Coordinates of all heavy atoms in Angstrom, one line a residue:
M1 N 103.9 82.8 122.0 CA 104.2 83.7 123.1 C 104.1 85.2 122.6 O 104.8 85.5 121.5 CB 105.6 83.4 123.7 CG 106.0 84.3 124.8 SD 107.4 83.7 125.8 CE 108.7 84.5 124.9
P2 N 103.4 86.0 123.2 CA 103.3 87.4 122.7 C 104.6 88.2 122.8 O 105.4 87.9 123.6 CB 102.3 88.1 123.7 CG 101.6 86.9 124.4 CD 102.6 85.8 124.4
D3 N 104.8 89.1 121.8 CA 106.0 89.9 121.8 C 105.8 91.1 122.8 O 104.9 91.8 122.6 CB 106.1 90.4 120.3 CG 107.4 91.2 120.1 OD1 108.0 91.7 121.1 OD2 107.8 91.3 119.0
P4 N 106.7 91.2 123.7 CA 106.5 92.3 124.7 C 106.7 93.7 124.1 O 106.2 94.6 124.8 CB 107.6 92.0 125.7 CG 108.6 91.1 125.0 CD 107.9 90.4 124.0
S5 N 107.3 93.8 122.9 CA 107.4 95.1 122.3 C 106.1 95.6 121.7 O 106.0 96.7 121.3 CB 108.6 95.2 121.4 OG 108.3 94.3 120.3
I6 N 105.1 94.7 121.5 CA 103.9 95.0 120.9 C 102.9 95.3 122.0 O 102.6 94.5 122.8 CB 103.3 93.8 120.0 CG1 104.3 93.4 119.0 CG2 102.0 94.2 119.4 CD1 104.7 94.4 118.0
K7 N 102.3 96.5 122.0 CA 101.5 97.0 123.1 C 100.0 96.6 122.9 O 99.3 96.6 123.8 CB 101.6 98.5 123.3 CG 103.1 98.9 123.5 CD 103.8 98.2 124.6 CE 105.2 98.7 124.8 NZ 106.1 97.7 125.3
D8 N 99.6 96.4 121.6 CA 98.2 96.1 121.3 C 98.2 94.9 120.4 O 98.2 95.0 119.2 CB 97.5 97.3 120.7 CG 96.0 97.1 120.5 OD1 95.6 95.9 120.5 OD2 95.3 98.0 120.3
E9 N 98.3 93.7 121.0 CA 98.4 92.4 120.2 C 97.2 92.2 119.2 O 97.4 91.8 118.1 CB 98.5 91.2 121.1 CG 99.9 91.0 121.7 CD 100.9 90.5 120.7 OE1 100.5 89.8 119.7 OE2 102.1 90.8 120.8
K10 N 96.0 92.6 119.7 CA 94.8 92.4 118.9 C 94.9 93.2 117.6 O 94.6 92.7 116.5 CB 93.6 92.8 119.7 CG 92.3 92.5 118.9 CD 91.1 92.9 119.8 CE 89.8 92.6 119.1 NZ 88.6 93.0 119.9
T11 N 95.3 94.5 117.7 CA 95.4 95.3 116.5 C 96.5 94.8 115.7 O 96.4 94.8 114.4 CB 95.7 96.8 116.9 OG1 94.5 97.2 117.7 CG2 95.9 97.7 115.8
Y12 N 97.7 94.4 116.3 CA 98.8 93.9 115.5 C 98.4 92.7 114.7 O 98.7 92.7 113.5 CB 99.9 93.6 116.5 CG 101.1 92.9 115.8 CD1 102.1 93.7 115.2 CD2 101.3 91.5 115.9 CE1 103.2 93.1 114.6 CE2 102.4 90.9 115.3 CZ 103.3 91.7 114.6 OH 104.4 91.1 114.0
E13 N 97.8 91.7 115.3 CA 97.4 90.5 114.6 C 96.4 90.8 113.5 O 96.5 90.2 112.4 CB 96.8 89.5 115.5 CG 97.8 88.9 116.5 CD 99.0 88.2 115.8 OE1 98.8 87.6 114.7 OE2 100.1 88.3 116.3
A14 N 95.5 91.7 113.7 CA 94.5 92.1 112.7 C 95.2 92.7 111.5 O 94.9 92.4 110.3 CB 93.4 93.1 113.2
L15 N 96.2 93.6 111.7 CA 96.9 94.2 110.6 C 97.8 93.2 109.9 O 97.9 93.3 108.7 CB 97.8 95.3 111.2 CG 97.0 96.6 111.7 CD1 97.9 97.4 112.6 CD2 96.5 97.4 110.5
R16 N 98.4 92.3 110.6 CA 99.2 91.2 109.9 C 98.3 90.4 109.1 O 98.6 90.0 108.0 CB 99.9 90.4 111.0 CG 101.0 91.1 111.7 CD 102.2 91.4 110.8 NE 102.8 90.1 110.5 CZ 103.4 89.9 109.3 NH1 103.5 90.8 108.4 NH2 103.9 88.7 109.1
D17 N 97.0 90.0 109.6 CA 96.1 89.3 108.8 C 95.7 90.0 107.5 O 95.4 89.3 106.5 CB 94.8 88.9 109.6 CG 95.1 87.9 110.7 OD1 96.2 87.3 110.7 OD2 94.3 87.8 111.6
E18 N 95.7 91.3 107.5 CA 95.3 92.1 106.4 C 96.5 92.3 105.4 O 96.4 92.9 104.4 CB 94.8 93.5 106.8 CG 93.5 93.5 107.5 CD 93.1 94.9 108.0 OE1 93.8 95.9 107.7 OE2 92.1 94.9 108.8
G19 N 97.7 91.8 105.8 CA 98.8 91.8 104.9 C 99.9 92.9 105.3 O 100.8 93.1 104.5
A20 N 99.7 93.6 106.4 CA 100.7 94.6 106.7 C 102.0 93.9 107.2 O 102.0 92.8 107.7 CB 100.2 95.5 107.9
S21 N 103.1 94.6 106.9 CA 104.4 94.1 107.3 C 104.5 94.1 108.9 O 103.7 94.8 109.5 CB 105.5 94.9 106.8 OG 105.6 96.2 107.4
K22 N 105.4 93.3 109.4 CA 105.6 93.3 110.8 C 105.9 94.6 111.4 O 105.3 95.0 112.4 CB 106.7 92.3 111.2 CG 106.3 90.8 111.0 CD 107.5 89.9 111.4 CE 107.1 88.5 111.1 NZ 108.2 87.6 111.5
E23 N 106.8 95.4 110.7 CA 107.1 96.7 111.2 C 106.0 97.7 111.2 O 105.7 98.4 112.2 CB 108.3 97.2 110.3 CG 108.7 98.6 110.7 CD 109.8 99.2 109.8 OE1 110.3 98.4 108.9 OE2 110.0 100.4 109.9
K24 N 105.2 97.7 110.1 CA 104.1 98.6 110.0 C 103.0 98.2 111.0 O 102.4 99.1 111.7 CB 103.5 98.5 108.6 CG 102.3 99.5 108.3 CD 101.9 99.4 106.9 CE 100.8 100.4 106.6 NZ 100.4 100.4 105.2
A25 N 102.7 96.9 111.1 CA 101.7 96.5 112.1 C 102.1 96.9 113.5 O 101.3 97.3 114.3 CB 101.5 95.0 112.0
A26 N 103.4 96.7 113.9 CA 103.8 97.0 115.2 C 103.8 98.5 115.4 O 103.3 99.0 116.5 CB 105.3 96.6 115.4
R27 N 104.1 99.3 114.4 CA 104.1 100.8 114.6 C 102.7 101.3 114.8 O 102.4 102.1 115.7 CB 104.7 101.4 113.3 CG 105.0 102.8 113.3 CD 105.9 103.3 112.1 NE 105.2 103.0 110.9 CZ 105.7 102.2 109.9 NH1 106.9 101.7 110.1 NH2 105.1 102.0 108.8
I28 N 101.7 100.7 114.0 CA 100.3 101.2 114.2 C 99.7 100.7 115.5 O 99.0 101.4 116.2 CB 99.5 100.7 113.0 CG1 99.9 101.4 111.7 CG2 98.0 100.9 113.2 CD1 99.4 100.8 110.4
A29 N 100.0 99.4 115.9 CA 99.5 98.8 117.1 C 100.0 99.6 118.3 O 99.2 99.9 119.3 CB 99.8 97.4 117.2
N30 N 101.3 99.9 118.3 CA 101.8 100.6 119.5 C 101.3 102.1 119.5 O 101.0 102.6 120.6 CB 103.3 100.6 119.4 CG 103.9 99.2 119.7 OD1 103.2 98.4 120.3 ND2 105.1 99.0 119.4
A31 N 101.1 102.7 118.4 CA 100.5 104.0 118.4 C 99.1 104.0 118.9 O 98.6 104.8 119.7 CB 100.5 104.6 117.0
A32 N 98.3 102.9 118.5 CA 96.9 102.8 119.0 C 96.9 102.6 120.5 O 96.0 103.1 121.2 CB 96.3 101.6 118.2
A33 N 97.8 101.8 121.0 CA 97.8 101.5 122.5 C 98.2 102.8 123.2 O 97.7 103.1 124.3 CB 98.8 100.4 122.8
R34 N 99.1 103.6 122.6 CA 99.5 104.8 123.3 C 98.5 105.9 123.2 O 98.2 106.6 124.2 CB 100.9 105.3 122.7 CG 101.5 106.5 123.3 CD 102.7 107.0 122.5 NE 102.3 107.4 121.2 CZ 102.8 106.9 120.1 NH1 103.7 105.9 120.1 NH2 102.5 107.3 118.9
D35 N 97.9 106.2 122.0 CA 97.1 107.3 121.8 C 95.6 107.0 121.7 O 94.8 107.9 121.6 CB 97.5 108.0 120.5 CG 99.0 108.5 120.5 OD1 99.5 108.8 121.6 OD2 99.6 108.6 119.5
G36 N 95.3 105.8 121.5 CA 93.9 105.4 121.3 C 93.6 105.1 119.9 O 94.1 105.8 119.0
R37 N 92.8 104.1 119.6 CA 92.6 103.7 118.2 C 91.9 104.8 117.4 O 92.2 105.0 116.2 CB 91.7 102.4 118.2 CG 92.4 101.2 118.6 CD 91.6 100.0 118.5 NE 92.3 98.8 119.0 CZ 91.7 97.8 119.5 NH1 90.4 97.7 119.7 NH2 92.5 96.8 120.0
S38 N 90.9 105.5 117.9 CA 90.3 106.5 117.2 C 91.2 107.7 116.8 O 91.1 108.2 115.7 CB 89.0 107.1 117.9 OG 89.4 107.7 119.1
T39 N 92.1 108.0 117.7 CA 93.1 109.1 117.4 C 94.0 108.7 116.3 O 94.3 109.4 115.4 CB 93.9 109.4 118.7 OG1 93.0 109.8 119.7 CG2 94.9 110.5 118.4
V40 N 94.5 107.4 116.3 CA 95.4 106.9 115.3 C 94.6 106.9 114.0 O 95.2 107.2 112.9 CB 96.0 105.6 115.7 CG1 96.7 104.9 114.5 CG2 96.9 105.7 116.9
G41 N 93.4 106.4 114.0 CA 92.6 106.4 112.7 C 92.4 107.7 112.1 O 92.4 107.9 110.9
E42 N 92.2 108.7 112.9 CA 92.0 110.1 112.4 C 93.3 110.6 111.8 O 93.2 111.4 110.8 CB 91.6 111.0 113.5 CG 90.2 110.8 114.0 CD 89.8 111.6 115.2 OE1 90.6 112.4 115.7 OE2 88.7 111.3 115.8
R43 N 94.4 110.2 112.3 CA 95.7 110.7 111.7 C 96.0 110.0 110.4 O 96.8 110.6 109.6 CB 96.9 110.3 112.7 CG 97.1 111.3 113.7 CD 98.4 111.1 114.4 NE 98.8 109.8 114.8 CZ 98.9 109.4 116.0 NH1 98.7 110.2 117.0 NH2 99.2 108.1 116.2
G44 N 95.5 108.9 110.1 CA 95.8 108.2 108.9 C 95.5 109.0 107.6 O 94.7 109.9 107.6
G45 N 96.1 108.6 106.5 CA 95.8 109.1 105.2 C 96.5 110.4 104.9 O 96.1 111.1 103.9
E46 N 97.5 110.8 105.6 CA 98.2 112.1 105.4 C 99.3 112.0 104.3 O 99.9 112.9 104.0 CB 98.7 112.6 106.7 CG 97.7 113.0 107.7 CD 98.2 113.4 109.0 OE1 99.4 113.6 109.1 OE2 97.4 113.5 109.9
A47 N 99.5 110.8 103.8 CA 100.6 110.6 102.9 C 100.3 111.1 101.5 O 101.2 111.4 100.7 CB 100.9 109.1 102.8
G48 N 99.1 111.4 101.2 CA 98.8 111.9 99.9 C 98.6 110.7 98.9 O 98.8 109.6 99.2
N49 N 98.3 111.1 97.7 CA 98.0 110.1 96.7 C 99.4 109.8 95.9 O 99.9 110.6 95.3 CB 97.0 110.6 95.7 CG 96.5 109.5 94.7 OD1 97.1 108.4 94.6 ND2 95.5 109.8 94.0
Y50 N 99.9 108.6 96.1 CA 101.2 108.2 95.5 C 101.1 108.3 94.0 O 102.1 108.7 93.4 CB 101.6 106.8 95.9 CG 102.0 106.6 97.4 CD1 101.6 105.5 98.1 CD2 102.8 107.6 98.0 CE1 102.0 105.3 99.4 CE2 103.1 107.4 99.3 CZ 102.8 106.3 100.0 OH 103.2 106.1 101.3
E51 N 100.0 108.1 93.4 CA 99.9 108.1 91.9 C 100.2 109.6 91.4 O 100.6 109.7 90.3 CB 98.6 107.6 91.4 CG 98.5 106.1 91.4 CD 98.2 105.5 92.8 OE1 97.9 106.3 93.8 OE2 98.2 104.3 92.9
D52 N 99.9 110.6 92.2 CA 100.1 112.0 91.8 C 101.5 112.4 92.0 O 101.8 113.5 91.6 CB 99.1 112.9 92.6 CG 97.7 112.6 92.2 OD1 97.4 112.1 91.2 OD2 96.8 113.0 93.1
M53 N 102.3 111.6 92.7 CA 103.7 112.0 93.0 C 104.6 111.6 91.8 O 104.3 110.7 91.1 CB 104.2 111.4 94.2 CG 103.5 111.8 95.5 SD 104.2 111.0 96.9 CE 103.3 111.6 98.2
T54 N 105.7 112.3 91.7 CA 106.7 111.9 90.6 C 107.5 110.8 91.2 O 107.5 110.5 92.4 CB 107.7 113.1 90.3 OG1 108.4 113.4 91.5 CG2 106.9 114.4 89.9
K55 N 108.2 110.1 90.3 CA 109.1 109.0 90.7 C 110.2 109.5 91.7 O 110.5 108.9 92.6 CB 109.8 108.4 89.5 CG 110.6 107.2 89.9 CD 111.2 106.5 88.7 CE 112.1 105.4 89.1 NZ 112.8 104.7 88.1
D56 N 110.7 110.7 91.4 CA 111.7 111.3 92.3 C 111.1 111.5 93.7 O 111.8 111.3 94.7 CB 112.3 112.6 91.8 CG 113.2 112.4 90.6 OD1 113.7 111.3 90.4 OD2 113.3 113.4 89.8
Q57 N 109.9 112.0 93.8 CA 109.3 112.2 95.1 C 109.1 110.9 95.8 O 109.3 110.7 97.0 CB 107.9 112.9 95.0 CG 108.0 114.3 94.5 CD 106.7 114.9 94.1 OE1 105.9 114.3 93.5 NE2 106.5 116.2 94.5
L58 N 108.6 109.9 95.1 CA 108.4 108.5 95.7 C 109.8 108.0 96.1 O 109.9 107.4 97.2 CB 107.8 107.6 94.6 CG 106.4 107.9 94.2 CD1 106.0 107.2 93.0 CD2 105.4 107.7 95.4
Y59 N 110.8 108.2 95.3 CA 112.1 107.7 95.7 C 112.6 108.3 97.0 O 113.1 107.6 97.9 CB 113.2 108.0 94.6 CG 114.5 107.5 94.9 CD1 115.0 106.3 94.7 CD2 115.4 108.4 95.5 CE1 116.2 105.8 95.0 CE2 116.7 108.0 95.9 CZ 117.1 106.7 95.6 OH 118.4 106.3 96.0
E60 N 112.4 109.6 97.1 CA 112.8 110.3 98.4 C 112.0 109.8 99.6 O 112.6 109.6 100.7 CB 112.6 111.8 98.2 CG 113.6 112.5 97.3 CD 113.2 113.9 97.0 OE1 112.4 114.5 97.8 OE2 113.8 114.5 96.0
R61 N 110.8 109.5 99.4 CA 110.0 109.0 100.5 C 110.4 107.6 100.9 O 110.6 107.2 102.0 CB 108.5 109.0 100.1 CG 107.6 108.6 101.3 CD 106.1 108.8 100.9 NE 105.8 110.2 100.7 CZ 105.1 110.9 101.5 NH1 104.6 110.4 102.5 NH2 104.8 112.2 101.2
A62 N 110.7 106.8 99.9 CA 111.2 105.4 100.1 C 112.6 105.5 100.8 O 112.9 104.6 101.7 CB 111.4 104.7 98.8
Q63 N 113.4 106.4 100.4 CA 114.7 106.6 101.1 C 114.5 107.0 102.6 O 115.2 106.4 103.4 CB 115.5 107.7 100.4 CG 116.9 107.8 100.8 CD 117.7 108.9 100.0 OE1 117.1 109.8 99.4 NE2 119.0 108.7 99.9
R64 N 113.6 107.9 102.9 CA 113.3 108.3 104.2 C 112.9 107.1 105.1 O 113.2 107.1 106.3 CB 112.3 109.4 104.3 CG 112.8 110.8 104.0 CD 111.8 111.9 104.5 NE 110.5 111.7 104.0 CZ 110.0 112.2 102.9 NH1 110.8 113.0 102.1 NH2 108.7 112.0 102.5
V65 N 112.1 106.2 104.6 CA 111.6 105.1 105.4 C 112.5 103.9 105.3 O 112.2 102.9 106.0 CB 110.1 104.8 105.1 CG1 109.2 105.9 105.4 CG2 109.9 104.3 103.6
G66 N 113.5 103.9 104.5 CA 114.5 102.9 104.4 C 114.1 101.6 103.6 O 114.4 100.5 104.0
I67 N 113.5 101.9 102.5 CA 113.1 100.7 101.6 C 114.4 100.3 100.8 O 114.9 101.2 100.1 CB 112.0 101.1 100.7 CG1 110.7 101.3 101.6 CG2 111.7 100.0 99.6 CD1 109.5 101.8 100.8
D68 N 114.8 99.1 100.9 CA 115.9 98.6 100.2 C 115.6 98.3 98.7 O 114.4 98.0 98.4 CB 116.4 97.3 100.8 CG 117.0 97.5 102.2 OD1 117.6 98.5 102.4 OD2 116.9 96.5 103.0
G69 N 116.5 98.5 97.8 CA 116.4 98.2 96.4 C 115.6 99.3 95.7 O 115.2 99.1 94.5
R70 N 115.4 100.5 96.3 CA 114.6 101.5 95.7 C 115.2 102.1 94.4 O 114.4 102.5 93.6 CB 114.3 102.6 96.7 CG 115.6 103.3 97.2 CD 115.3 104.2 98.4 NE 116.6 104.7 98.9 CZ 117.3 104.2 99.8 NH1 116.8 103.1 100.4 NH2 118.4 104.6 100.2
S71 N 116.5 102.1 94.3 CA 117.1 102.7 93.1 C 116.8 101.9 91.8 O 116.8 102.5 90.8 CB 118.6 102.9 93.3 OG 119.2 101.6 93.5
D72 N 116.5 100.7 92.0 CA 116.2 99.8 90.8 C 114.7 99.7 90.5 O 114.3 99.0 89.6 CB 116.7 98.4 91.0 CG 118.3 98.4 91.0 OD1 118.9 99.3 90.3 OD2 118.8 97.6 91.7
M73 N 113.8 100.4 91.3 CA 112.4 100.2 91.2 C 111.8 101.2 90.2 O 112.2 102.4 90.1 CB 111.7 100.4 92.6 CG 112.0 99.3 93.6 SD 111.1 99.7 95.1 CE 111.7 98.4 96.1
S74 N 110.7 100.8 89.6 CA 109.9 101.7 88.7 C 109.0 102.4 89.6 O 108.9 102.2 90.9 CB 109.1 100.8 87.7 OG 108.1 100.1 88.5
K75 N 108.3 103.4 89.1 CA 107.3 104.2 89.9 C 106.3 103.2 90.5 O 106.0 103.4 91.7 CB 106.6 105.2 89.0 CG 105.6 106.1 89.7 CD 105.0 107.1 88.9 CE 104.0 107.9 89.7 NZ 103.4 109.0 88.9
D76 N 105.7 102.3 89.7 CA 104.7 101.4 90.3 C 105.3 100.5 91.4 O 104.6 100.3 92.4 CB 104.1 100.5 89.2 CG 103.2 101.3 88.2 OD1 102.7 102.3 88.7 OD2 103.0 100.8 87.1
E77 N 106.5 100.1 91.3 CA 107.2 99.3 92.3 C 107.4 100.1 93.6 O 107.2 99.6 94.7 CB 108.5 98.7 91.8 CG 108.3 97.6 90.7 CD 109.6 97.2 90.0 OE1 110.5 98.1 89.9 OE2 109.6 96.0 89.6
L78 N 107.8 101.4 93.4 CA 108.0 102.3 94.6 C 106.6 102.4 95.3 O 106.6 102.4 96.5 CB 108.5 103.6 94.1 CG 110.0 103.6 93.7 CD1 110.3 104.9 93.0 CD2 110.9 103.5 95.0
I79 N 105.6 102.6 94.6 CA 104.2 102.8 95.2 C 103.9 101.5 96.0 O 103.5 101.6 97.1 CB 103.2 103.1 94.1 CG1 103.4 104.5 93.5 CG2 101.8 103.0 94.7 CD1 102.5 104.8 92.3
T80 N 104.1 100.4 95.4 CA 103.8 99.1 96.1 C 104.6 99.0 97.3 O 104.1 98.6 98.4 CB 104.0 97.9 95.1 OG1 103.1 98.1 94.0 CG2 103.7 96.6 95.8
A81 N 105.9 99.3 97.2 CA 106.8 99.1 98.4 C 106.4 100.1 99.5 O 106.4 99.7 100.7 CB 108.3 99.4 97.9
L82 N 106.1 101.3 99.2 CA 105.7 102.3 100.2 C 104.4 101.9 100.8 O 104.2 102.0 102.1 CB 105.5 103.7 99.5 CG 106.8 104.4 99.2 CD1 106.6 105.5 98.3 CD2 107.5 104.8 100.5
R83 N 103.4 101.4 100.1 CA 102.1 101.0 100.6 C 102.3 99.7 101.6 O 101.5 99.6 102.5 CB 101.1 100.6 99.5 CG 100.6 101.9 98.9 CD 99.5 101.6 98.0 NE 98.9 102.9 97.5 CZ 98.5 103.1 96.3 NH1 98.6 102.1 95.4 NH2 98.1 104.3 95.9
N84 N 103.3 98.9 101.3 CA 103.4 97.7 102.1 C 104.5 97.8 103.2 O 104.7 96.9 103.9 CB 103.8 96.5 101.2 CG 102.7 96.2 100.2 OD1 101.5 96.2 100.6 ND2 103.0 95.8 99.0
H85 N 105.1 99.0 103.3 CA 106.1 99.2 104.3 C 105.5 99.4 105.7 O 104.5 100.0 105.9 CB 107.0 100.4 103.9 CG 108.0 100.7 105.0 ND1 109.1 99.9 105.2 CD2 108.1 101.7 105.9 CE1 109.8 100.4 106.1 NE2 109.2 101.5 106.6

């Protein structure tokens, strides 16, 4: 049964198949339904290159998005967590 909070099921399922978390897939799918897929695609990539950020910068970003366990993570683990959030 489709989730009524997901506005673009096709996009949601494609993102989940690619390995996106439920939260991330829902966020992108709903934005695509609201603003159009091409508009959402143009907005992507504004996060910058995580490898160029310091561990403190990554930690702050992880804190803003609510990643649990961030205080015990290495820089590489923070990058992975942010990319998969």
Side-chain angles (χ1 to χ4, degrees):
M1 181 164 90
D3 184 339
S5 66
I6 305 299
K7 307 304 181 211
D8 185 342
E9 281 289 330
K10 183 177 179 181
T11 300
Y12 175 81
E13 291 301 327
L15 290 164
R16 290 291 291 146
D17 290 344
E18 291 175 8
S21 69
K22 289 180 181 180
E23 180 183 348
K24 182 176 183 178
R27 194 169 55 240
I28 293 169
N30 289 343
R34 182 185 65 241
D35 301 333
R37 288 183 182 151
S38 62
T39 301
V40 172
E42 290 171 4
R43 273 197 312 247
E46 296 175 10
N49 189 348
Y50 289 141
E51 284 78 7
D52 293 339
M53 295 182 181
T54 66
K55 183 177 177 185
D56 289 338
Q57 290 170 320
L58 294 166
Y59 178 87
E60 289 174 15
R61 189 173 293 251
Q63 188 175 25
R64 277 197 309 267
V65 298
I67 294 175
D68 293 329
R70 62 189 172 268
S71 61
D72 296 326
M73 292 182 185
S74 67
K75 181 176 178 177
D76 289 337
E77 289 169 328
L78 285 166
I79 290 171
T80 300
L82 287 164
R83 285 190 174 141
N84 293 324
H85 177 72

